[in-house]
Amino acid sequence: MTKPSSLWQRPTARWRLGLPIGALLMVVIGVLATVGFNGVMQATSSNEFCSSCHGPAAFAAEEWPQHTHFTSASGVKVQCADCHVSKQFLPKMWRKVQGMKEVYHYAVGTYDSREKFELHRLDMAKKVWAEMKATDSATCRSCHNYQRMDFTKQSAKAQLWHPSIAEKGLTCIDCHKYLAHDRVATELQ
Ligand code: HEC
Ligand code: HEC
Ligand code: HEC
Ligand code: HEC
């Protein structure tokens, strides 16, 4: 049996060489893991990825081209993830974890027909509204900086409302719904 003390022997010459090689390997693995991780993060934030489920089968993406955040005078490209995935690390990770639940519902076919989708649509929309209310519409603000708004250049209606939103405790999503999707039919019933 090995004596406990023999486990603590000084490293042999071979080991001394092994240490820097091991350290180098760790760095290489670390770099590869980061590149892979970012690749996965990017791939799972693309329109193509979202639309692979929310396309014609789940009916969110198909409505989008009719709205201002798809085609506009300026042609700025707004992606699903720009509105739905936070740019901050932890909330972003949380969204990816929630995505697992979406994969499950997709796999079991919870919303595989238009009827099923429409039935649950209000619940889904409410979740998005609640999330945006809670974050003070953070994803909207990543493009629309309130401090940089020149109210005098906005429409009369906007000028009437915008300057006082903070003191009224209102946030973008309180007034601006249905910017990328059709109105939720069930809300009207
Ligand atoms: C694997 C298929 C799949 C992919 C990929 C997918 N989703 Fe979903 N998504 C679903 C399903 C199914 C639901 C309904 C989940 C539920 O009812 O809990 C859903 C629900 C939603 C909702 C409703 C609110 C909520 O939190 O439930 C939003 C918003 C959403 N997805 C946005 C996106 C975006 C943005 C992407 C791309 C970054 C994406 N989804 C990628 C299947 C998918
Ligand atoms: C990736 C950047 C980006 C994000 C994210 C974004 N927008 Fe926009 N939005 C734009 C651009 C660019 C325009 C101007 C389109 C044009 O040229 O008319 C615009 C136009 C608008 C308009 C005026 C046109 C209309 O549809 O009534 C409103 C209101 C608006 N955005 C609100 C919002 C809200 C609320 C959110 C969050 C749910 C949001 N935006 C998220 C870039 C963005
Ligand atoms: C109290 C309601 C209210 C809130 C809160 C609000 N808006 Fe608006 N917003 C309006 C109204 C009303 C208009 C004018 C719509 C029209 O002219 O048809 C408008 C217009 C706009 C426009 C178009 C401006 C123009 O005239 O070209 C943009 C962009 C916009 N809002 C972004 C935002 C963003 C971003 C937030 C959050 C920081 C926000 N709004 C919060 C009511 C609101
Ligand atoms: C301009 C911001 C914006 C963009 C871009 C956007 N969404 Fe949304 N999304 C919202 C908001 C806000 C809601 C809550 C309902 C509403 O107001 O339309 C929502 C609701 C949803 C829902 C819940 C069901 C419903 O129709 O309300 C799904 C699913 C969804 N989005 C997926 C997507 C996918 C997939 C894309 C890209 C093809 C996308 N969204 C692009 C802002 C956006």
Side-chain angles (χ1 to χ4, degrees), residues 126-138:
K126 275 184 178 162
K127 258 192 245 169
V128 178
W129 291 328
E131 202 180 303
M132 290 194 176
K133 181 78 181 165
T135 60
D136 197 8
S137 313

Side-chain angles (χ1 to χ4, degrees), residues 44 46 155 160 181:
T44 55
S46 72
S155 72
L160 189 68
H181 311 287

Side-chain angles (χ1 to χ4, degrees), residues 115-166:
E115 290 71 32
K116 287 190 201 166
F117 176 74
E118 290 297 342
L119 268 178
H120 290 92
R121 191 169 189 169
L122 182 56
D123 289 337
M124 288 192 271
K126 275 184 178 162
K127 258 192 245 169
V128 178
W129 291 328
E131 202 180 303
M132 290 194 176
K133 181 78 181 165
T135 60
D136 197 8
S137 313
T139 51
C140 313
R141 288 174 193 264
S142 68
C143 288
H144 296 278
N145 190 313
Y146 182 73
Q147 276 70 35
R148 290 202 193 173
M149 276 185 183
D150 183 347
F151 300 134
T152 63
K153 288 186 180 153
Q154 295 185 342
S155 72
K157 268 202 259 172
Q159 285 188 40
L160 189 68
W161 288 101
H162 280 167
S164 61
I165 62 167

Side-chain angles (χ1 to χ4, degrees), residues 47 50-51 54 60-61 63-64 69 78-80 83-84 117 121 124-125 128-129 132 173 177-182 184:
N47 281 354
C50 310
S51 307
H54 292 287
E63 296 163 355
W64 189 33
H69 284 83
V78 185
Q79 313 255 45
C80 315
C83 289
H84 287 294
F117 176 74
R121 191 169 189 169
M124 288 192 271
V128 178
W129 291 328
M132 290 194 176
I173 200 64
K177 297 182 169 74
Y178 310 120
L179 289 168
H181 311 287
D182 290 356
V184 182

Side-chain angles (χ1 to χ4, degrees), residues 45-110:
S45 290
S46 72
N47 281 354
E48 289 69 29
F49 175 73
C50 310
S51 307
S52 64
C53 291
H54 292 287
F59 316 105
E62 62 166 20
E63 296 163 355
W64 189 33
Q66 298 143 29
H67 294 263
T68 42
H69 284 83
F70 186 83
T71 38
S72 65
S74 54
V76 172
K77 197 171 163 197
V78 185
Q79 313 255 45
C80 315
D82 289 330
C83 289
H84 287 294
V85 183
S86 166
K87 298 235 171 351
Q88 280 165 334
F89 187 74
L90 284 177
K92 184 170 168 174
M93 288 303 110
W94 179 233
R95 182 69 185 85
K96 304 281 172 188
V97 172
Q98 287 178 308
M100 296 294 151
K101 188 194 63 181
E102 294 179 30
V103 172
Y104 164 78
H105 282 290
Y106 183 72
V108 301
T110 312

